Amino acid sequence: MTPILYIVIPCYNEEAVLPITAPLFLKKLQDLIAAGKISDDSRVLFVNDGSRDETWNIICSLARQDAHFIGISQSRNRGHQNAVLAGLMEAKDRCDITISIDCDGQDDLNAMDEMVERYLEGYEVVYGVRSSRETDTFFKRFTAQSFYKLLSAMGAEVVYNHADYRLMSARVLKEFANFHEVNLFLRGLVPLVGFRSTTVTYSRAERLAGESHYPLKKMLALAIDGITSLSVKPLRLITGFGAFVAVVSFIACIWALITALCGRAVPGWASTTCIVCFVSGVQLLGLGIIGEYIGKIYLETKERPRYIISERTENMLDQSK
Ligand code: UDP
Ligand code: MG
């Protein structure tokens, strides 16, 4: 029996790009169906992430035009990661495989053929990995590469140059549903689920329309979230650095004592000020990092829902597998 594929696509204020990319997704789905690789029950599942523009209306009208298009809508904007999660959790009981992809046409749809092939060979997770970043601006390329380097240096294992374009089997998703954290960083969590995995490389194009929702500020937030939800290495680094500063201070004290005893003590205002400033800076940084983790614990203990689906397209009712 051919597997049922759900292509999960988060959309936030994408009225400019959705009418261009939706037919491309449908075409890819139909090609895969025609090739006999996936079942005709496969679907393109849009997740409207609380858009303030016409996105949800576009999704509804697509669903009326073709039964292969379906959509869910989040009750408000919750961010890319939560939107992808909502789609994957919605899909997991209705299909055998999911592929998550952005809706802006930046990720090469043709990589899906290879992804499905890998699945048919027995892989449960297939990561889409970018082969080049030539189309990105220098700034985007530089920040994105620093992002991966920082993550791996801080002990958060992620697949290099893999964003959220990946195939996951329903079996993996059912296990993944047991990961209850609200601080979501999917590309760091999926490797923790395990199962047989492989990668597929593709080249990334420019956004077909609209603007990126990931300015530097959001990228930094994602990096900090990724590190603090996957690793405690920063806390250890603070401890190590604290110990280092303590040793240096101890040596400095001995040195100061000796110079004082030898009667060569100088007024030394500048050096004292420098040390005070430096040490208080280090303390504040340390507190900030610890605070970041306490904030995470605070949010986790509340166990708030990670997504709330407020609406579904009409053709989604009675489709449970
Ligand atoms: N997105 C979302 N919610 C948000 C921000 C973005 O669902 O709050 C979606 C967006 O519609 C797109 C994907 O996440 O499909 C990636 O966003 P974008 O293309 O802006 O990021 P970039 O590719 O520039 O990193
Ligand atoms: Mg994009």
Side-chain angles (χ1 to χ4, degrees):
M1 223 181 71
T2 47
I4 301 177
L5 166 70
Y6 270 43
I7 303 178
V8 175
I9 308 168
C11 309
Y12 175 56
N13 293 344
E14 298 285 11
E15 63 181 6
V17 81
L18 209 50
I20 307 172
T21 52
L24 302 177
F25 290 122
L26 183 63
K27 167 111 191 5
K28 179 50 54 190
L29 198 77
Q30 279 167 340
D31 287 352
L32 284 167
I33 295 171
K37 287 190 185 152
I38 56 169
S39 148
D40 189 46
D41 293 328
S42 299
R43 296 284 180 268
V44 176
L45 168 60
F46 293 107
V47 183
N48 171 37
D49 187 22
S51 302
R52 277 184 289 266
D53 63 1
E54 286 300 304
T55 303
W56 180 238
N57 290 339
I58 295 172
I59 293 171
C60 289
S61 78
L62 285 168
R64 280 191 293 271
Q65 281 162 30
D66 194 306
H68 290 102
F69 284 127
I70 54 176
I72 56 177
S73 185
Q74 293 225 78
S75 60
R76 54 159 293 166
N77 179 248
R78 294 289 301 272
H80 176 207
Q81 300 287 298
N82 296 67
V84 175
L85 181 78
L88 292 176
M89 291 300 117
E90 184 75 18
K92 76 178 192 315
D93 301 316
R94 300 162 182 261
C95 67
D96 303 300
I97 15 176
T98 60
I99 295 182
S100 52
I101 183 168
D102 292 351
C103 80
D104 54 13
Q106 280 190 285
D107 300 314
D108 183 11
L109 292 183
N110 294 321
M112 286 192 190
D113 300 68
E114 217 181 311
M115 286 184 172
V116 172
E117 223 132 76
R118 292 290 102 81
Y119 168 78
L120 296 173
E121 282 165 15
Y123 292 96
E124 306 261 354
V125 182
V126 186
Y127 300 99
V129 173
R130 288 173 216 172
S131 58
S132 75
R133 281 186 172 269
E134 276 148 26
T135 55
D136 283 351
T137 59
F138 170 77
F139 182 70
K140 177 89 189 179
R141 197 162 59 221
F142 176 75
T143 47
Q145 262 156 14
S146 319
F147 172 78
Y148 288 103
K149 292 210 179 103
L150 183 68
L151 281 178
S152 76
M154 286 294 152
E157 279 313 315
V158 286
V159 179
Y160 188 68
N161 260 350
H162 159 70
D164 282 300
Y165 185 18
R166 84 175 82 73
L167 176 145
M168 288 171 85
S169 71
R171 199 150 78 98
V172 172
L173 284 173
K174 276 171 195 151
E175 297 304 330
F176 185 58
N178 294 324
F179 284 61
H180 295 293
E181 47 233 277
V182 285
N183 295 291
L184 278 182
F185 184 64
L186 295 174
R187 64 189 93 160
L189 290 174
V190 174
L192 299 179
V193 187
F195 290 93
R196 259 185 104 193
S197 70
T198 185
T199 56
V200 160
T201 45
Y202 68 96
S203 54
R204 190 161 148 105
E206 273 174 64
R207 223 172 201 284
L208 292 179
E211 276 178 14
S212 167
H213 300 98
Y214 273 96
L216 184 63
K217 196 169 141 226
K218 270 205 190 172
M219 283 248 281
L220 272 178
L222 192 66
I224 292 173
D225 272 352
I227 294 164
T228 51
S229 49
L230 291 170
S231 151
V232 290
K233 208 165 170 183
L235 292 177
R236 289 210 194 111
L237 283 180
I238 304 174
T239 318
F241 196 58
F244 172 74
V245 172
V247 171
V248 171
S249 315
F250 184 67
I251 295 171
C253 287
I254 294 178
W255 172 73
L257 209 64
I258 293 172
T259 38
L261 287 177
C262 296
R264 280 192 276 129
V266 281
W269 179 84
S271 53
T272 317
T273 316
C274 287
I275 291 169
V276 169
C277 289
F278 175 69
V279 173
S280 45
V282 169
Q283 280 178 338
L284 278 181
L285 177 72
L287 278 178
I289 297 179
I290 294 165
E292 185 71 31
Y293 281 92
I294 294 178
K296 287 262 142 72
I297 298 168
Y298 177 62
L299 290 173
E300 294 292 350
T301 52
K302 288 178 192 287
E303 291 187 44
R304 283 186 183 148
R306 297 182 290 178
Y307 57 89
I308 298 172
I309 297 171
S310 58
E311 275 168 277
R312 288 180 167 79
T313 49
E314 282 160 23
N315 58 359
M316 275 203 87
L317 312 165
D318 69 68
Q319 266 194 356
S320 300
K321 205 178 128 192

